[in-house]
Amino acid sequence: MTNTKQKTAIIRNYVIVCGWALVIFILSNQPAAVSSGQSGVIVGHLQQAMPGVSTALLTFLVRKSAHIVAYFILGILMYRALRISIRHWRARTVASLALLSCSLYAVTDEIHQLFVPGRSGELRDVMIDSIAALVGVGLCAWMMRWRALRKSTAANDR
């Protein structure tokens, strides 16, 4: 990869990370009434599909699933951006840095929610976010390693 293409790829990946972090920030910045209304729509559909399940349980699962999806994606994006920009570091070190970055963002996100009407900062949410990021980082690292091994095996077969 040429130097210009590499710089462009690095910038593009960090812009994507920042864009996704902005999406998380915007969703966290919604007052409780708006956030509850959005999850309420999904809960309503789930109640039709599963009439015996309590509304409280479905609401909890929908809201925590949003955390899982958001930080799973953030973990993947962060690992990719760091891996491309810090090629000389070991993959394990890059994965640790990606996880640390995502976890710190989760902490700041929960602190931010303390200042949003009707919202609260929860340590449990930081843990959920960090575990989701860990899975995203781990999956991305595994897939990149698997792809590199496959590529090297194909090159050796020629």
Side-chain angles (χ1 to χ4, degrees):
M1 187 182 299
T2 66
N3 200 20
T4 303
K5 282 186 180 181
Q6 187 175 9
K7 285 180 182 177
T8 302
I10 290 168
I11 291 168
R12 181 181 63 241
N13 277 281
Y14 281 110
V15 167
I16 292 169
V17 168
C18 291
W20 188 250
L22 181 62
V23 167
I24 293 171
F25 179 85
I26 290 168
L27 292 172
S28 294
N29 201 44
Q30 296 174 332
V34 174
S35 180
S36 295
Q38 290 172 339
S39 28
V41 171
I42 298 168
V43 168
H45 290 297
L46 289 173
Q47 281 181 317
Q48 290 176 353
M50 301 179 282
V53 181
S54 78
T55 303
L57 176 62
L58 288 175
T59 300
F60 176 81
L61 292 175
V62 165
R63 294 181 74 78
K64 299 313 164 193
S65 294
H67 280 266
I68 291 168
V69 170
Y71 280 86
F72 174 80
I73 293 170
L74 184 64
I76 290 171
L77 297 174
M78 185 65 75
Y79 180 81
R80 284 182 46 84
L82 288 169
R83 191 73 188 130
I84 289 169
S85 62
I86 312 172
R87 290 187 173 277
H88 60 280
W89 285 13
R90 291 181 36 191
R92 185 170 292 160
T93 305
V94 173
S96 297
L97 182 59
L99 178 59
L100 177 64
S101 300
C102 291
S103 296
L104 288 174
Y105 191 73
V107 169
T108 62
D109 184 45
E110 292 303 313
I111 292 170
H112 164 240
Q113 286 185 41
L114 293 171
F115 302 98
V116 178
R119 303 289 293 266
S120 63
E122 303 285 335
L123 180 59
R124 172 181 58 196
D125 288 347
V126 172
M127 298 306 295
I128 291 169
D129 298 342
S130 296
I131 291 168
L134 173 66
V135 173
V137 166
L139 179 66
C140 189
W142 178 80
M143 288 181 70
M144 289 177 88
R145 181 173 167 82
W146 177 77
R147 198 170 102 196
L149 288 172
R150 215 173 109 210
K151 199 181 268 187
S152 71
T153 303
N156 290 338
D157 290 344
R158 288 186 222 173

